């Protein structure tokens, strides 16, 4: 397990290191290499020695382990790109103003938090027995199980879109044709419709600031799937835009949706506490998450008054674990029904 952590650490560190200069999106490949070399030179000798040691550990992995890490690296790079895309201008300036090493660390923490949040969501959708069996599976079997979970979730989204075609601009006839497509075709059509409607909603915001225009241009240039990932992250802090795209979303009003939203990471908070040491920053970010979570638990009366009183006196970690367990229970009940 320590070798996996070494590989993850290297992916996050080196990936962000190569992108640690301001205006990364506008650089050529040569400029990125130069920026990466400059960032490497700016590291302390201790930090460089640590990265060399991690790289050596990574080289010692088996071929199949390296293959898995390459897949993970691609996923983490996608998450990093999505996070960068949706940062507002003040957050982007804050990130660019950090020294290179701190920028690498903070960005890596944001990416890891997003990846962890996604992994928890996938596990919640899995049958309980499958969750128990997952650790004992061979890598190939584990990937197939995870893929099936993702596909099941995707099917539910497609069915919901077909039942409420107006949400993404589909007429009833178009919705019927959508169901007649194969899985890949339905997915492509849904993502394309989401992008078209979301771009209209973003444009209707009427934000004429250059920063907003640049964000719009960056999002518009993405392929439909990349756009969907980035837009859903953007909508976390701008729920009114998502409401315009998917009107009358029952999930937006549910206690489960609000609790899940409270537990999701906020990249801006990592930047707010960027000057702190990692352990302090982690503690402060978790405390912010705890405050959001407790507010939802109280308002939605998810737990009994006695349990809420116990949680008021509990640590941040205990509160967050209790909320995660509650989401898992709700997911199991939903599957049973």
């Amino acid at each position: 397990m320590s070798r996996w952590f070494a590989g993850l650490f290297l992916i996050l560190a080196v990936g962000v290191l190569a992108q640690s200069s301001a205006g990364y999106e506008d650089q050529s490949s040569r400029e990125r290499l130069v920026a990466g070399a400059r960032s490497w030179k700016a590291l302390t000798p201790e930090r460089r020695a640590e990265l060399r040691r991690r790289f050596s550990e990574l080289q010692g992995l088996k071929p199949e382990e390296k293959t898995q890490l390459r897949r993970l690296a691609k996923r983490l790079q996608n998450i990093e790109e999505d996070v960068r895309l949706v940062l507002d201008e003040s957050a982007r300036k804050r990130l660019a103003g950090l020294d290179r090493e701190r920028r690498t660390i903070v960005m890596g923490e944001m990416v890891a938090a997003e990846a962890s949040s996604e992994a928890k969501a996938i596990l919640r959708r899995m049958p309980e027995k499958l969750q128990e069996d997952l650790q004992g599976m061979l890598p190939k079997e584990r990937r197939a199980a995870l893929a099936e979970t993702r596909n099941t979730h995707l099917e539910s989204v497609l069915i919901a879109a077909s039942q409420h075609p107006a949400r993404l601009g589909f007429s009833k006839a178009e919705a019927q044709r959508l169901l007649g497509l194969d899985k890949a075709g339905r997915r492509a059509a849904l993502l394309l419709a989401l992008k078209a409607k979301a771009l209209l909603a973003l444009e209707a915001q009427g934000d004429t600031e250059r920063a907003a225009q640049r964000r719009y241009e960056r999002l518009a240039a993405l392929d439909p799937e990349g756009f969907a990932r980035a837009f859903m992250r953007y909508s976390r802090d701008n729920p009114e835009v998502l409401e315009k795209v998917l009107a009358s979303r029952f999930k937006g009003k549910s206690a489960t949706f609000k609790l899940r939203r409270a537990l999701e990471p906020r990249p801006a908070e990592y930047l707010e506490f960027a000057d702190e040491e990692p352990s302090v920053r982690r503690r402060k970010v978790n405390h912010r998450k705890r405050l959001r979570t407790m507010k939802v638990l109280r308002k939605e009366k998810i737990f009994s008054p006695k349990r809420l009183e116990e949680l008021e006196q509990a640590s941040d970690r205990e509160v967050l674990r209790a909320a995660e367990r509650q989401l898992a229970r709700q997911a199991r009940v939903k599957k049973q029904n």
Side-chain angles (χ1 to χ4, degrees):
M1 184 62 71
S2 63
R3 289 186 297 169
W4 282 100
F5 283 122
L8 282 171
F9 176 89
L10 189 70
I11 290 165
L12 291 172
V14 175
V16 179
L17 186 67
Q19 301 186 24
S20 61
S21 60
Y24 168 79
E25 302 91 344
D26 303 321
Q27 293 177 338
S28 67
S29 298
R30 175 180 166 74
E31 288 171 330
R32 292 175 203 169
L33 288 173
V34 171
R38 190 182 302 119
S39 298
W40 173 261
K41 290 180 181 178
L43 296 178
T44 63
E46 293 78 13
R47 182 72 164 166
R48 278 188 241 170
E50 182 180 10
L51 283 175
R52 288 193 187 98
R53 179 173 61 81
R54 299 286 188 180
F55 185 76
S56 177
E57 292 178 4
L58 181 60
Q59 291 299 96
L61 293 175
K62 297 176 182 177
E64 59 270 23
E65 292 175 324
K66 289 182 181 179
T67 298
Q68 286 182 263
L69 276 179
R70 277 193 288 270
R71 291 194 186 98
L72 180 57
K74 179 60 178 175
R75 182 70 195 114
L76 293 177
Q77 287 166 0
N78 287 338
I79 292 174
E80 183 190 335
E81 290 169 7
D82 296 345
V83 170
R84 286 177 177 272
L85 273 170
V86 300
L87 289 176
D88 60 29
E89 192 66 8
S90 62
R92 292 174 70 85
K93 287 180 179 177
R94 172 66 168 147
L95 183 64
L98 299 175
D99 65 74
R100 289 187 176 89
E101 185 170 359
R102 190 171 293 273
R103 191 183 310 143
T104 298
I105 294 171
V106 174
M107 194 68 206
E109 289 175 1
M110 288 192 286
V111 172
E114 291 281 352
S116 175
S117 180
E118 289 188 3
K120 289 175 183 176
I122 290 172
L123 287 173
R124 282 196 298 267
R125 293 197 295 269
M126 279 187 171
E128 194 170 3
K129 180 64 167 60
L130 181 56
Q131 290 185 39
E132 295 172 359
D133 294 343
L134 200 62
Q135 290 300 321
M137 289 182 179
L138 296 172
K140 187 175 181 180
E141 296 171 335
R142 192 181 303 124
R143 286 195 299 275
L146 291 170
E148 181 60 29
T149 301
R150 292 191 185 100
N151 289 340
T152 299
H153 180 60
L154 176 59
E155 285 300 320
S156 68
V157 171
L158 290 170
I159 291 171
S162 301
Q163 292 172 341
H164 306 279
R167 289 181 181 177
L168 286 180
F170 289 108
S171 67
K172 289 184 179 180
E174 288 170 336
Q176 289 302 315
R177 285 199 295 271
L178 185 71
L179 281 178
L181 298 173
D182 61 24
K183 191 174 293 186
R186 292 199 301 271
R187 189 171 191 274
L190 186 63
L191 291 174
L192 194 60
L194 173 63
K195 180 176 181 179
K197 192 171 183 183
L199 285 174
L200 289 175
L202 290 171
E203 197 169 17
Q205 286 182 299
D207 195 339
T208 58
E209 290 187 7
R210 180 58 187 155
Q213 291 177 351
R214 284 200 299 267
R215 179 174 59 240
Y216 179 90
E217 290 166 2
R218 288 194 297 268
L219 288 169
L222 295 172
D223 63 80
E225 183 166 352
F227 175 88
R229 292 196 315 265
F231 177 73
M232 295 308 291
R233 282 193 169 84
Y234 173 79
S235 67
R236 287 181 183 176
D237 296 318
N238 301 272
E240 71 285 353
V241 180
L242 185 58
E243 182 63 25
K244 290 177 182 177
V245 177
L246 299 173
S248 303
R249 289 177 309 109
F250 65 91
K251 285 186 176 181
K253 300 175 183 177
S254 73
T256 299
F257 176 89
K258 293 174 183 177
L259 183 57
R260 189 167 61 244
R261 177 70 184 91
L263 288 167
E264 287 172 347
R266 304 284 201 279
E269 290 176 353
Y270 285 85
L271 291 171
E272 181 181 347
F273 303 123
D275 292 331
E276 305 284 2
E277 290 303 307
S279 60
V280 176
R281 181 167 50 253
R282 191 181 312 114
R283 188 165 64 249
K284 290 187 175 182
V285 167
N286 280 339
H287 186 65
R288 286 282 184 86
K289 192 185 296 185
R290 178 244 177 84
L291 295 177
R292 292 195 301 270
T293 300
M294 284 302 304
K295 184 177 179 180
V296 173
L297 292 175
R298 286 193 299 268
K299 186 175 181 179
E300 301 297 327
K301 299 178 181 179
I302 293 174
F303 291 131
S304 68
K306 180 181 179 182
R307 181 57 175 150
L308 284 173
E309 188 176 339
E310 292 172 352
L311 290 174
E312 291 284 5
Q313 306 304 316
S315 67
D316 294 347
R317 189 175 184 182
E318 289 175 279
V319 169
L320 299 179
R321 280 185 172 179
E324 288 285 0
R325 285 196 294 269
Q326 177 64 17
L327 283 179
R329 280 194 293 270
Q330 290 170 341
R332 287 197 295 272
V333 170
K334 184 178 179 181
K335 285 197 286 279
Q336 290 169 359
N337 294 335

